[in-house]
Coordinates of all heavy atoms in Angstrom, one line a residue:
M1 N 0.9 -1.2 0.0 CA 0.0 0.0 0.0 C 0.8 1.3 0.0 O 1.9 1.3 0.8 CB -0.9 0.0 1.2 CG -2.3 0.6 1.0 SD -3.4 0.3 2.4 CE -3.1 1.7 3.5
A2 N 0.5 2.2 -0.8 CA 1.3 3.5 -0.9 C 1.1 4.3 0.4 O 0.0 4.3 0.9 CB 0.8 4.2 -2.1
K3 N 2.2 4.8 0.8 CA 2.2 5.7 2.0 C 1.6 7.0 1.6 O 2.0 7.6 0.5 CB 3.6 5.9 2.5 CG 4.1 4.8 3.3 CD 5.4 5.0 3.9 CE 6.0 3.8 4.6 NZ 7.5 4.0 4.9
P4 N 0.8 7.6 2.4 CA 0.3 9.0 2.2 C 1.4 10.0 2.2 O 2.3 9.8 3.1 CB -0.7 9.2 3.2 CG -0.5 8.2 4.3 CD 0.3 7.1 3.7
N5 N 1.4 10.9 1.4 CA 2.4 12.0 1.3 C 2.2 12.8 2.6 O 1.1 13.4 2.9 CB 2.2 12.9 0.1 CG 3.3 13.8 -0.1 OD1 3.9 14.3 0.9 ND2 3.4 14.4 -1.2
K6 N 3.2 12.9 3.4 CA 3.1 13.6 4.7 C 2.7 15.1 4.5 O 2.0 15.6 5.2 CB 4.4 13.5 5.5 CG 4.4 12.4 6.5 CD 5.7 12.4 7.3 CE 5.9 11.0 8.0 NZ 7.3 10.9 8.3
K7 N 3.4 15.7 3.6 CA 3.1 17.2 3.4 C 1.8 17.4 2.7 O 1.2 18.5 3.0 CB 4.3 17.7 2.5 CG 5.6 18.0 3.2 CD 6.5 18.6 2.3 CE 7.9 18.9 3.0 NZ 8.9 19.3 2.0
G8 N 1.3 16.5 2.0 CA 0.1 16.7 1.3 C 0.3 17.6 0.1 O 1.5 17.9 -0.2
P9 N -0.7 18.0 -0.6 CA -0.6 18.9 -1.7 C 0.1 20.2 -1.3 O -0.2 20.7 -0.2 CB -2.0 19.1 -2.3 CG -2.8 18.1 -1.5 CD -2.1 17.7 -0.3
T10 N 0.8 20.8 -2.1 CA 1.6 22.0 -1.8 C 1.0 23.2 -2.5 O 1.2 24.3 -2.1 CB 3.1 22.0 -2.2 OG1 3.2 21.5 -3.5 CG2 3.8 21.0 -1.3
K11 N 0.2 22.9 -3.5 CA -0.5 24.0 -4.2 C -1.6 24.6 -3.4 O -2.5 23.8 -3.0 CB -1.0 23.5 -5.6 CG -1.4 24.5 -6.5 CD -2.1 23.9 -7.7 CE -2.9 25.0 -8.4 NZ -4.1 24.4 -9.0
T12 N -1.7 25.8 -3.2 CA -2.7 26.4 -2.4 C -3.7 27.2 -3.3 O -3.3 27.9 -4.2 CB -2.1 27.5 -1.4 OG1 -1.2 26.7 -0.6 CG2 -3.2 28.0 -0.5
V13 N -4.9 27.0 -3.1 CA -6.0 27.7 -3.9 C -6.8 28.7 -2.9 O -6.8 28.3 -1.7 CB -6.9 26.8 -4.7 CG1 -6.2 26.0 -5.7 CG2 -7.7 25.8 -3.7
D14 N -7.3 29.7 -3.4 CA -8.1 30.6 -2.6 C -9.5 30.2 -2.9 O -9.9 30.1 -4.2 CB -7.9 32.0 -2.9 CG -6.5 32.4 -2.4 OD1 -6.3 32.3 -1.2 OD2 -5.6 32.8 -3.3
I15 N -10.4 30.0 -1.9 CA -11.8 29.7 -2.2 C -12.6 30.9 -1.8 O -12.5 31.4 -0.7 CB -12.2 28.4 -1.4 CG1 -11.3 27.3 -1.9 CG2 -13.7 28.1 -1.6 CD1 -11.5 26.0 -1.0
F16 N -13.5 31.3 -2.8 CA -14.4 32.4 -2.5 C -15.8 32.1 -2.6 O -16.3 31.2 -3.3 CB -14.1 33.5 -3.6 CG -12.7 34.0 -3.7 CD1 -11.8 33.4 -4.4 CD2 -12.4 35.1 -2.9 CE1 -10.4 33.8 -4.4 CE2 -11.1 35.6 -2.8 CZ -10.1 34.9 -3.7
C17 N -16.7 32.9 -2.0 CA -18.2 32.7 -2.1 C -18.6 33.2 -3.5 O -18.1 34.3 -3.9 CB -18.7 33.6 -1.0 SG -20.6 33.7 -1.1
K18 N -19.4 32.4 -4.1 CA -19.9 32.7 -5.4 C -20.8 33.9 -5.4 O -20.9 34.7 -6.4 CB -20.5 31.5 -6.1 CG -20.4 31.6 -7.6 CD -20.6 30.2 -8.2 CE -19.9 30.2 -9.6 NZ -19.9 28.8 -10.1
A19 N -21.6 34.1 -4.3 CA -22.6 35.1 -4.2 C -22.0 36.5 -4.1 O -22.4 37.4 -4.6 CB -23.6 34.7 -3.1
C20 N -20.9 36.6 -3.1 CA -20.5 37.9 -2.8 C -19.0 38.1 -2.9 O -18.5 39.1 -2.6 CB -20.9 38.2 -1.3 SG -20.0 37.4 -0.1
N21 N -18.3 37.0 -3.4 CA -16.9 37.1 -3.5 C -16.0 37.2 -2.3 O -14.9 37.5 -2.3 CB -16.4 38.1 -4.6 CG -16.9 37.8 -6.0 OD1 -17.1 36.6 -6.3 ND2 -17.2 38.8 -6.8
A22 N -16.6 37.0 -1.2 CA -15.8 37.1 0.1 C -14.9 35.9 0.1 O -15.2 34.8 -0.2 CB -16.7 37.0 1.3
P23 N -13.6 36.0 0.6 CA -12.7 34.9 0.7 C -13.2 33.9 1.9 O -13.7 34.4 2.9 CB -11.4 35.5 1.2 CG -11.6 36.9 1.6 CD -13.0 37.3 1.0
L24 N -13.1 32.6 1.7 CA -13.6 31.7 2.6 C -12.5 30.9 3.2 O -12.3 30.8 4.4 CB -14.6 30.8 2.0 CG -15.8 31.5 1.4 CD1 -16.7 30.4 0.6 CD2 -16.7 32.1 2.4
F25 N -11.7 30.3 2.4 CA -10.6 29.5 2.9 C -9.4 29.6 1.9 O -9.5 29.9 0.7 CB -10.9 28.0 2.7 CG -12.0 27.5 3.5 CD1 -12.9 26.5 3.0 CD2 -12.2 27.9 4.8 CE1 -14.0 26.1 3.7 CE2 -13.3 27.4 5.5 CZ -14.2 26.4 5.0
K26 N -8.2 29.4 2.5 CA -7.1 29.1 1.7 C -6.8 27.5 1.9 O -6.8 27.1 3.0 CB -5.8 29.8 2.2 CG -5.6 31.1 1.6 CD -4.2 31.6 1.9 CE -4.0 33.1 1.6 NZ -4.2 33.4 0.2
Y27 N -6.7 26.9 0.8 CA -6.8 25.4 0.9 C -5.7 24.8 0.0 O -5.5 25.2 -1.1 CB -8.2 25.0 0.4 CG -8.4 23.5 0.5 CD1 -8.4 22.8 1.7 CD2 -8.7 22.7 -0.7 CE1 -8.6 21.5 1.8 CE2 -8.9 21.3 -0.5 CZ -8.9 20.8 0.6 OH -9.1 19.4 0.8
R28 N -5.1 23.7 0.6 CA -4.1 23.0 -0.2 C -4.8 21.9 -0.9 O -5.2 20.9 -0.3 CB -3.0 22.3 0.8 CG -2.2 23.4 1.5 CD -0.8 22.9 2.0 NE -1.0 21.7 2.7 CZ -1.2 21.6 4.0 NH1 -1.4 22.7 4.8 NH2 -1.3 20.4 4.6
K29 N -5.1 22.1 -2.1 CA -5.9 21.3 -3.0 C -5.0 20.2 -3.7 O -4.1 20.6 -4.3 CB -6.7 22.1 -3.9 CG -7.7 21.3 -4.7 CD -8.4 22.3 -5.6 CE -9.6 21.5 -6.4 NZ -9.0 20.5 -7.4
G30 N -5.5 18.9 -3.6 CA -4.7 17.9 -4.4 C -5.5 17.6 -5.7 O -6.7 17.6 -5.7
G31 N -4.7 17.3 -6.7 CA -5.3 16.9 -8.0 C -6.1 18.1 -8.6 O -6.0 19.2 -8.3
K32 N -6.7 17.7 -9.7 CA -7.4 18.6 -10.5 C -8.9 18.4 -10.5 O -9.4 17.4 -10.0 CB -6.9 18.5 -12.1 CG -5.5 18.9 -12.2 CD -5.1 18.7 -13.7 CE -3.6 19.2 -13.9 NZ -3.2 19.0 -15.3
G33 N -9.6 19.4 -11.1 CA -11.0 19.2 -11.2 C -11.8 20.0 -10.1 O -11.2 20.8 -9.3
A34 N -13.0 19.8 -10.1 CA -13.9 20.6 -9.3 C -13.7 20.3 -7.7 O -13.3 19.2 -7.4 CB -15.4 20.4 -9.6
L35 N -13.9 21.4 -7.0 CA -13.9 21.1 -5.5 C -15.1 20.6 -5.0 O -16.1 21.3 -5.0 CB -13.5 22.5 -4.9 CG -13.1 22.4 -3.4 CD1 -11.7 21.9 -3.1 CD2 -13.3 23.8 -2.8
V36 N -15.1 19.4 -4.4 CA -16.2 18.7 -3.9 C -16.2 18.8 -2.4 O -17.2 19.0 -1.7 CB -16.4 17.3 -4.4 CG1 -17.6 16.6 -3.9 CG2 -16.4 17.3 -5.9
K37 N -15.0 18.5 -1.9 CA -14.8 18.6 -0.4 C -13.6 19.2 0.0 O -12.6 19.2 -0.8 CB -14.9 17.2 0.1 CG -13.9 16.2 -0.4 CD -14.3 14.8 -0.1 CE -13.2 13.8 -0.6 NZ -13.0 13.8 -2.0
C38 N -13.5 19.7 1.2 CA -12.3 20.2 1.8 C -11.9 19.4 3.1 O -12.8 19.5 4.0 CB -12.4 21.7 2.2 SG -12.5 22.9 0.8
F39 N -10.7 18.9 3.1 CA -10.3 18.3 4.4 C -9.9 19.5 5.3 O -9.1 20.3 4.9 CB -9.2 17.4 4.2 CG -9.6 16.1 3.5 CD1 -9.3 15.8 2.2 CD2 -10.3 15.2 4.2 CE1 -9.7 14.6 1.6 CE2 -10.8 14.0 3.6 CZ -10.5 13.6 2.3
K40 N -10.3 19.4 6.5 CA -10.1 20.6 7.4 C -8.5 20.8 7.7 O -8.0 21.8 7.9 CB -10.7 20.4 8.7 CG -12.3 20.7 8.5 CD -13.0 20.6 9.8 CE -14.5 20.6 9.6 NZ -15.3 20.5 10.8
E41 N -7.9 19.6 7.7 CA -6.4 19.7 8.0 C -5.6 20.3 6.8 O -4.4 20.6 7.1 CB -5.9 18.2 8.3 CG -6.0 17.3 7.1 CD -5.8 15.9 7.5 OE1 -5.9 15.5 8.7 OE2 -5.6 15.0 6.6
R42 N -6.2 20.5 5.7 CA -5.6 21.1 4.6 C -5.9 22.5 4.4 O -5.4 23.2 3.6 CB -5.9 20.3 3.3 CG -5.3 19.0 3.2 CD -5.3 18.5 1.8 NE -5.2 17.1 1.6 CZ -5.6 16.5 0.6 NH1 -6.2 17.0 -0.5 NH2 -5.4 15.2 0.5
I43 N -6.8 23.0 5.3 CA -7.2 24.5 5.1 C -6.1 25.2 5.9 O -5.9 25.1 7.1 CB -8.5 24.7 5.7 CG1 -9.6 24.0 4.9 CG2 -8.9 26.2 5.9 CD1 -11.0 24.0 5.6
S44 N -5.4 26.1 5.0 CA -4.3 26.8 5.7 C -4.7 28.1 6.3 O -4.1 28.6 7.3 CB -3.1 27.0 4.7 OG -3.6 27.6 3.5
Q45 N -5.8 28.6 5.9 CA -6.4 29.8 6.4 C -7.9 29.7 6.3 O -8.4 29.4 5.2 CB -5.9 31.0 5.8 CG -6.1 32.3 6.6 CD -5.1 33.3 6.3 OE1 -4.3 33.2 5.5 NE2 -5.2 34.4 7.0
D46 N -8.6 30.0 7.4 CA -10.1 29.9 7.5 C -10.6 31.3 7.8 O -10.4 31.8 8.8 CB -10.4 28.9 8.5 CG -11.9 28.6 8.5 OD1 -12.7 29.3 7.9 OD2 -12.3 27.6 9.3
Y47 N -11.3 31.8 6.8 CA -11.9 33.2 7.0 C -13.3 33.1 7.6 O -14.0 34.2 7.8 CB -11.9 34.0 5.7 CG -10.5 34.1 5.1 CD1 -10.1 33.3 4.0 CD2 -9.7 35.1 5.7 CE1 -8.9 33.5 3.5 CE2 -8.4 35.3 5.0 CZ -8.1 34.5 3.9 OH -6.8 34.6 3.4
T48 N -13.9 31.9 7.8 CA -15.3 31.9 8.1 C -15.4 32.0 9.6 O -14.5 31.8 10.4 CB -15.9 30.6 7.7 OG1 -15.2 29.5 8.3 CG2 -15.9 30.3 6.2
V49 N -16.6 32.4 10.0 CA -17.0 32.6 11.5 C -17.8 31.4 11.9 O -17.5 30.8 12.9 CB -17.7 33.9 11.7 CG1 -18.0 34.1 13.2 CG2 -16.8 35.1 11.2
S50 N -18.8 31.0 11.2 CA -19.6 29.9 11.5 C -19.3 28.8 10.5 O -18.9 29.1 9.3 CB -21.1 30.2 11.4 OG -21.5 31.3 12.1
V51 N -19.4 27.6 10.9 CA -19.1 26.4 10.1 C -19.9 26.4 8.7 O -21.1 26.4 8.8 CB -19.3 25.1 10.8 CG1 -19.2 23.9 9.8 CG2 -18.3 25.0 11.9
G52 N -19.2 26.5 7.6 CA -19.8 26.4 6.4 C -20.7 27.6 5.9 O -21.4 27.4 4.9
V53 N -20.5 28.7 6.6 CA -21.3 30.0 6.3 C -20.5 31.0 5.9 O -19.4 31.3 6.5 CB -22.2 30.3 7.5 CG1 -23.0 31.5 7.3 CG2 -23.1 29.1 8.0
C54 N -20.8 31.6 4.8 CA -20.0 32.7 4.3 C -20.1 33.9 5.4 O -21.2 34.3 5.9 CB -20.6 33.3 3.0 SG -19.9 34.9 2.4
P55 N -19.0 34.5 5.7 CA -19.0 35.5 6.8 C -19.6 36.8 6.3 O -20.0 37.6 7.1 CB -17.5 35.7 7.1 CG -16.8 35.2 5.9 CD -17.6 34.2 5.3
K56 N -19.7 37.0 5.0 CA -20.2 38.3 4.5 C -21.7 38.2 4.2 O -22.5 39.1 4.7 CB -19.4 38.7 3.3 CG -19.5 40.1 2.9 CD -18.5 40.4 1.8 CE -18.8 41.7 1.1 NZ -18.1 41.9 0.0
C57 N -22.1 37.2 3.4 CA -23.6 37.3 3.0 C -24.4 36.2 3.7 O -25.5 36.0 3.5 CB -23.6 37.0 1.5 SG -23.2 35.4 0.9
E58 N -23.6 35.4 4.5 CA -24.3 34.4 5.4 C -25.0 33.3 4.7 O -25.9 32.7 5.2 CB -25.3 35.1 6.4 CG -24.4 36.0 7.3 CD -25.2 36.7 8.4 OE1 -26.4 36.7 8.3 OE2 -24.6 37.0 9.4
K59 N -24.6 33.1 3.5 CA -25.1 32.0 2.7 C -24.4 30.6 3.1 O -23.2 30.7 3.4 CB -24.9 32.1 1.2 CG -26.0 33.1 0.6 CD -26.1 32.9 -0.8 CE -27.3 33.5 -1.4 NZ -27.4 35.0 -1.2
V60 N -25.0 29.5 3.2 CA -24.4 28.2 3.5 C -23.7 27.8 2.2 O -24.3 27.6 1.2 CB -25.5 27.3 4.0 CG1 -24.8 25.9 4.2 CG2 -26.1 27.7 5.2
F61 N -22.4 27.5 2.4 CA -21.7 27.0 1.2 C -21.1 25.6 1.4 O -20.6 25.0 0.4 CB -20.5 28.0 0.8 CG -19.4 28.0 1.9 CD1 -18.4 27.2 1.7 CD2 -19.5 28.9 2.9 CE1 -17.3 27.2 2.6 CE2 -18.5 28.9 3.8 CZ -17.4 28.1 3.7
A62 N -21.1 25.1 2.7 CA -20.5 23.8 2.9 C -21.2 23.2 4.2 O -21.7 23.9 5.0 CB -19.0 23.9 3.1
R63 N -21.0 21.9 4.2 CA -21.5 21.2 5.4 C -20.5 20.4 6.0 O -19.6 19.8 5.3 CB -22.7 20.3 5.0 CG -23.9 21.1 4.6 CD -25.1 20.2 4.2 NE -26.1 21.0 3.4 CZ -26.8 22.0 3.9 NH1 -26.8 22.3 5.1 NH2 -27.6 22.6 3.1
D64 N -20.5 20.3 7.3 CA -19.6 19.5 8.2 C -19.8 18.1 7.8 O -20.9 17.5 7.8 CB -20.0 19.7 9.6 CG -18.7 20.2 10.4 OD1 -17.6 20.0 9.9 OD2 -18.9 20.6 11.6
T65 N -18.7 17.3 7.6 CA -18.9 15.9 7.4 C -17.6 15.2 7.7 O -16.6 15.8 8.1 CB -19.2 15.7 5.8 OG1 -19.6 14.3 5.6 CG2 -18.0 16.1 4.9
L66 N -17.7 13.9 7.5 CA -16.5 13.0 7.7 C -16.3 12.3 6.4 O -17.2 11.7 5.8 CB -16.6 12.0 8.8 CG -16.6 12.5 10.3 CD1 -16.9 11.3 11.2 CD2 -15.3 13.1 10.7
V67 N -15.0 12.3 6.0 CA -14.6 11.5 4.8 C -13.6 10.5 5.3 O -12.5 10.9 5.7 CB -14.0 12.4 3.7 CG1 -13.6 11.6 2.5 CG2 -15.0 13.5 3.2
K68 N -14.0 9.3 5.2 CA -13.2 8.2 5.7 C -12.6 8.5 7.1 O -11.5 8.3 7.4 CB -12.0 7.9 4.7 CG -12.6 7.3 3.4 CD -11.5 7.2 2.5 CE -12.0 6.8 1.1 NZ -11.0 6.9 0.1
G69 N -13.5 9.0 8.0 CA -13.0 9.3 9.3 C -12.3 10.7 9.5 O -11.9 11.0 10.6
T70 N -12.0 11.4 8.5 CA -11.3 12.7 8.6 C -12.3 13.8 8.5 O -13.1 13.8 7.6 CB -10.3 12.7 7.4 OG1 -9.5 11.6 7.4 CG2 -9.5 14.0 7.5
P71 N -12.3 14.7 9.4 CA -13.2 15.9 9.4 C -13.0 16.7 8.1 O -11.9 17.0 7.7 CB -12.7 16.8 10.5 CG -12.0 15.8 11.5 CD -11.4 14.8 10.5
A72 N -14.1 17.0 7.5 CA -14.0 17.7 6.2 C -15.2 18.6 6.0 O -16.2 18.5 6.8 CB -13.9 16.8 5.0
Y73 N -15.2 19.5 5.0 CA -16.4 20.2 4.6 C -16.8 19.7 3.2 O -16.0 19.4 2.4 CB -16.1 21.7 4.4 CG -15.8 22.4 5.7 CD1 -14.6 22.9 5.9 CD2 -16.7 22.6 6.6 CE1 -14.3 23.7 7.1 CE2 -16.4 23.2 7.8 CZ -15.3 23.7 8.0 OH -14.9 24.4 9.1
K74 N -18.1 19.4 3.1 CA -18.6 19.1 1.8 C -19.2 20.3 1.2 O -20.0 21.0 1.8 CB -19.8 18.0 1.9 CG -20.2 17.5 0.6 CD -21.3 16.4 0.8 CE -21.6 15.7 -0.5 NZ -22.1 16.7 -1.5
I75 N -18.7 20.7 0.0 CA -19.0 22.0 -0.6 C -20.4 21.8 -1.3 O -20.6 20.9 -2.0 CB -17.9 22.4 -1.6 CG1 -16.6 22.5 -1.0 CG2 -18.4 23.7 -2.3 CD1 -16.5 23.6 0.1
V76 N -21.2 22.8 -1.0 CA -22.5 22.7 -1.7 C -22.3 23.2 -3.1 O -21.6 24.2 -3.4 CB -23.5 23.7 -1.0 CG1 -24.9 23.8 -1.7 CG2 -23.6 23.3 0.5
G77 N -22.9 22.4 -4.1 CA -22.5 22.6 -5.5 C -22.8 24.0 -5.9 O -23.9 24.6 -5.7
G78 N -21.9 24.6 -6.6 CA -22.1 25.9 -7.3 C -22.0 27.1 -6.2 O -22.3 28.2 -6.6
K79 N -21.7 26.9 -5.0 CA -21.6 28.0 -4.0 C -20.2 28.7 -3.9 O -20.2 29.8 -3.4 CB -22.0 27.5 -2.7 CG -23.5 27.0 -2.6 CD -24.5 28.1 -2.8 CE -25.9 27.5 -2.6 NZ -27.0 28.3 -3.0
V80 N -19.3 28.1 -4.4 CA -17.9 28.8 -4.3 C -17.2 28.7 -5.7 O -17.6 28.0 -6.6 CB -17.1 28.0 -3.3 CG1 -17.7 27.9 -1.9 CG2 -16.7 26.6 -3.8
W81 N -16.2 29.5 -5.8 CA -15.3 29.4 -6.9 C -13.8 29.5 -6.3 O -13.6 30.0 -5.2 CB -15.5 30.5 -7.9 CG -15.4 31.9 -7.5 CD1 -16.3 32.7 -6.8 CD2 -14.3 32.8 -7.7 NE1 -15.9 33.9 -6.5 CE2 -14.6 34.0 -7.1 CE3 -13.1 32.6 -8.3 CZ2 -13.7 35.1 -7.1 CZ3 -12.2 33.7 -8.4 CH2 -12.5 34.9 -7.7
L82 N -12.9 29.0 -7.1 CA -11.5 29.1 -6.6 C -10.6 29.7 -7.7 O -10.9 29.8 -8.8 CB -11.0 27.7 -6.2 CG -11.5 26.5 -6.8 CD1 -10.4 25.6 -7.3 CD2 -12.1 25.7 -5.7
K83 N -9.4 30.1 -7.1 CA -8.5 30.9 -7.9 C -7.1 30.2 -7.6 O -6.8 29.9 -6.5 CB -8.5 32.3 -7.5 CG -7.7 33.2 -8.4 CD -8.1 34.7 -8.0 CE -7.4 35.2 -6.8 NZ -7.6 36.6 -6.5
Ligands
ZN101 ZN1 -20.9 35.3 0.5

């Protein structure tokens, strides 16, 4: 079995609210493609005040979940964009 990379992905993306463009997270994203979930341990900066809620427009953009036992956010489809 392959060992997980200790450092994880090194590329950081900024995640923004699609409704009001407020910054939500800085996230070390692995791989390519759409953002479906965020592992909390990979969030390098968290701008939110309430879990999964945009601090500016207060829209819910993610839900607390567990992915294989690891705390994560499941992103609500179409609520965020990244750069
Ligand atoms: Zn917002």
